[in-house]
Amino acid sequence: MMVEYKYDEKQLEIKETANGEDIEISITLFDSELKNNLKKVREYFDENKVISDIYYYIHPNNRYQIIVRKDYYNEFIIQLFRQQLLQELKWV
């Protein structure tokens, strides 16, 4: 099942690419108020015992690179939604 999502393009940009067996997600925040929301997503994954579920890299200009294992992708997208970085989720 594939997931589709929508977000406010005035506040952020999300790009996904394949990275071997993983998914690389690039998030650029245009609204710096959203930094705390994205930080909460990272904290959610830091609290579990799986070290390799996501890799989180911070770049200049509010750009974030996140590499997500495929088996954690849906959970990652749900956390983005829970933290109001996504407006809508739909599995198709």
Side-chain angles (χ1 to χ4, degrees):
M1 225 184 237
M2 298 282 298
V3 64
E4 293 179 356
Y5 53 83
K6 293 183 183 178
Y7 57 90
D8 186 346
E9 294 177 0
K10 294 176 186 169
Q11 293 186 327
L12 65 141
E13 176 181 67
I14 301 174
K15 293 181 183 176
E16 293 186 21
T17 56
N19 184 339
E21 291 293 315
D22 303 322
I23 300 166
E24 184 172 330
I25 301 171
S26 176
I27 299 176
T28 304
L29 301 178
F30 304 130
D31 181 352
S32 58
E33 297 282 325
L34 296 175
K35 281 184 185 183
N36 284 332
N37 302 55
L38 192 55
K39 182 180 176 185
K40 288 178 185 176
V41 172
R42 180 181 181 179
E43 289 170 353
Y44 172 85
F45 287 95
D46 284 346
E47 290 176 3
N48 70 21
K49 294 180 182 185
V50 180
I51 296 172
S52 63
D53 50 2
I54 70 167
Y55 294 100
Y56 189 91
Y57 304 95
I58 301 170
H59 297 281
N61 301 320
N62 290 328
R63 193 173 76 76
Y64 302 84
Q65 175 188 15
I66 303 141
I67 299 173
V68 181
R69 276 185 15 194
K70 281 189 179 180
D71 52 336
Y72 281 90
Y73 175 79
N74 284 340
E75 191 171 348
F76 179 77
I77 295 299
I78 290 168
Q79 291 307 313
L80 290 178
F81 181 75
R82 286 186 70 210
Q83 296 304 324
Q84 301 176 347
L85 294 163
L86 301 178
Q87 296 174 325
E88 183 180 313
L89 284 178
K90 179 171 67 171
W91 276 266
V92 292

